[in-house]
Every structure is written in structure tokens, then in C-alpha cells.
Amino acid sequence: MAERVSVFRKEHFNAAHRLYNAAWDYAKNEKVFGKCALPNYHGHNYEMEVKITGEPDKDTGYVIDLKSLSELIKREVVQKFDHKNLNLDTEEFKNLNPTAENIVIVIYKVLRPHIDSKFELQVRLYETPRNFVEYPVGK
Amino acid sequence: MVYLTRMEHFNAAHKLYNPAWSKERNDDVFGLCANENWHGHNYDLYVTVKGQPDADTGFLYDVKKLSLIIKEHVIEKLDHKNLNLDVPFMQGKMCSSENLVVEIWKQLLPHLPKEVQLHSIKLYETPRIFVEYFGEIE
């Protein structure tokens, strides 16, 4: 059995959002989410690292063609979210709080059907250079 | 002369949209940045002051105090805000990084101590897009 290798592609998008639970009043939202609950939105430069783990193909030496992975991420994720308001402009977050945690799960679910099941997929999402999340949880 | 820089950061929503133009023209000129529901960035702000280090402290200026001045007069007004809607000094202006860096200069200048001169302000909108302002009027 060939050795398994993880390959990574970074992509980015920027978006506005706010953190707000519609089942709570404004005071509770402000208490829990602080400035992130402000009504007129704020925004981030999001950086994604998409990790694919598998065996390098014996003919190409590639786990996956990173150019095609880049195109897939751009088509399925960046197109949806770049320069958008996550709360207002996307189907995915109409009824889901757009925390980094929820965004990374959505990105995983969007990408997974497009990636051969023989590969493992993991996504890391940076909301700021110092706040980042990963899904599924690490190996 | 020594130059001292403090970096602070904030994040904000904005859009680039000229209300005097049609939606089509805004889309044509500003592309995705004209999205009516806003988008946003993590901004990094570099403030550089210059002067002579003090003989007793070796400091040009206490950089912790410089940080507090930037936070009080700039970051507090911008962080987690919508630049178009929430920021008094951007009212009636296009919220480009070019305009924002000039307005940040104007906000900061009156609050800096006598012993330092404001040299430049550099503002990163994304890791690959930034503007710089040196206070030049023309």
C-alpha cells in the first residue's frame, strides 16, 4: 500500500456578517455576542485551507490536481460567499448563525460530494489571523 | 530621527457605491464591492510616528500609550462597524481604503503628543491590498 499524503489548497473570500440569535432579544444577543451582534453588520477576510488526504496516483504522482481543487473551491464556495453578506445573501445562513464553526461545517458539506470518497477531506477556516476553526476534528 | 510603528487592527463591513450613479454603473465600476448588502474585511492599521528618542527612557514615545490613543480615537469608532452607516467621519464619503486612511489621519493627528510627529499611516484592507498616507494635501 502506497503512503498517504495530505495536500492543501488555500483560498479566500471576504464577507459581512453578524452573530444574532433571532429567538433572543437584542439585549441577550448583545450580552452573548458583543460587538458581533451590532445591527449593521461587520466583516472579515476569511482564509480557507482545504486539506485532501490520500495516496499519490502512480501515474501522475498527484494525490489530487491542486489546480482542479482550486477551481472546485472557487466555484462551490468562493462564488457563493465572496463579497456577500452571509446573513442576507446566502441560502446556507438564512437560518443558521454564521459563526466560524458553522461556516466551516457548511464549506465541508458543500465540497464533500465533489471530492472522491477515497480521499479524506478536512477544512480549516480563519476568520481573523488569530481566530480559526477546523472540521472535521483533527487527525 | 527614529520612526516608530504601532500596528492595530479592526474589522468592518462596507460597500463601494456612489449614490449619484445608477446601479448598473456602480456594478460596472465597483464590481462585487458594490453588493448592496455589504461585505467586509479584517483591516490592519500601521501608524508610524517619528522623532528623537528621549535621553532618560530611550523611548521616542511610550508605544503602549500610542496604542491606547489609536484605540480610543480610531479603533473604537471602526471596529465591528459598518463604515458606510455607523462611522460619523465617513458620512457622505466613498468608503474606499484611500478615503478611510486620510480620515484616520485626521482623527488621530490632534491627539498625538507634542514630542512625536505623525509620519505615515498604512492601511491593509486585505493581505494583498493596502494604502499609505503621509499627510500630503496635494
Side-chain angles (χ1 to χ4, degrees):
Chain A
M1 190 175 165
E3 283 162 316
R4 284 153 49 84
V5 178
S6 295
V7 299
F8 301 77
R9 177 72 196 182
K10 291 186 191 179
E11 298 291 343
H12 53 89
F13 61 93
N14 63 65
H17 80 156
R18 75 186 288 215
L19 302 183
Y20 197 83
N21 184 332
W24 297 344
D25 63 17
Y26 188 76
K28 184 164 181 189
N29 273 285
E30 212 177 13
K31 186 157 182 275
V32 173
F33 297 119
K35 288 178 175 178
C36 298
L38 283 171
N40 290 330
Y41 308 95
H42 62 281
H44 299 287
N45 302 324
Y46 290 92
E47 302 274 350
M48 273 179 286
E49 293 174 6
V50 175
K51 175 183 174 185
I52 305 284
T53 303
E55 296 174 5
D57 181 88
K58 63 181 189 312
D59 295 324
T60 63
Y62 287 165
V63 173
I64 190 170
D65 182 331
L66 286 173
K67 179 72 183 161
S68 65
L69 179 61
S70 166
E71 286 164 359
L72 171 69
I73 301 165
K74 283 180 177 140
R75 190 179 72 237
E76 298 296 329
V77 180
V78 176
Q79 290 264 44
K80 266 191 222 297
F81 298 149
D82 189 37
H83 285 76
K84 297 290 169 63
N85 182 308
L86 298 177
N87 305 73
L88 300 180
D89 297 331
T90 70
E91 283 305 314
E92 289 79 359
F93 299 104
K94 285 268 189 296
N95 298 301
L96 180 67
N97 207 18
T99 59
E101 292 87 331
N102 283 335
I103 299 168
V104 79
I105 293 170
V106 164
I107 292 171
Y108 175 87
K109 287 181 176 168
V110 165
L111 290 176
R112 185 68 265 190
H114 298 282
I115 291 165
D116 193 314
S117 60
K118 70 185 179 187
F119 297 127
E120 281 173 33
L121 169 65
Q122 191 178 38
V123 182
R124 177 179 281 194
L125 178 72
Y126 287 79
E127 183 175 86
T128 72
R130 296 191 287 193
N131 290 350
F132 58 98
V133 295
E134 200 170 56
Y135 181 79
V137 288
K139 280 186 181 164
Chain B
M1 191 75 87
V2 176
Y3 296 72
L4 170 70
T5 301
R6 173 75 193 185
M7 195 269 267
E8 299 290 344
H9 49 87
F10 61 95
N11 61 66
H14 80 153
K15 68 176 168 185
L16 300 181
Y17 195 91
N18 186 329
W21 294 350
S22 67
K23 181 165 176 356
E24 290 68 30
R25 185 161 177 202
N26 274 285
D27 285 344
D28 191 39
V29 173
F30 298 118
L32 293 173
C33 299
N35 178 30
E36 61 180 338
N37 288 329
W38 328 102
H39 62 283
H41 301 287
N42 302 324
Y43 290 90
D44 284 333
L45 179 68
Y46 292 77
V47 174
T48 302
V49 296
K50 61 186 174 185
Q52 294 297 336
D54 180 86
D56 295 325
T57 62
F59 287 165
L60 174 57
Y61 184 63
D62 183 334
V63 79
K64 181 70 189 164
K65 290 182 186 163
L66 180 60
S67 168
L68 293 174
I69 292 170
I70 301 167
K71 282 182 178 142
E72 181 182 348
H73 298 288
V74 178
I75 304 298
E76 280 290 313
K77 294 174 181 172
L78 299 173
D79 189 36
H80 285 75
K81 298 289 171 65
N82 182 310
L83 300 179
N84 301 72
L85 299 180
D86 299 329
V87 180
F89 60 80
M90 292 307 290
Q91 291 306 299
K93 299 185 177 74
M94 293 296 296
C95 289
S96 64
S97 289
E98 292 88 328
N99 284 345
L100 185 56
V101 77
V102 172
E103 295 307 313
I104 290 172
W105 178 286
K106 291 181 191 167
Q107 293 299 311
L108 202 52
L109 192 61
H111 302 287
L112 291 174
K114 297 264 184 298
E115 59 263 42
V116 301
Q117 268 180 275
L118 185 54
H119 173 67
S120 71
I121 299 182
K122 191 190 288 194
L123 179 67
Y124 280 77
E125 180 176 279
T126 73
R128 297 192 287 191
I129 299 176
F130 63 94
V131 295
E132 264 179 310
Y133 185 56
F134 296 89
E136 296 156 330
I137 306 296
E138 286 295 325

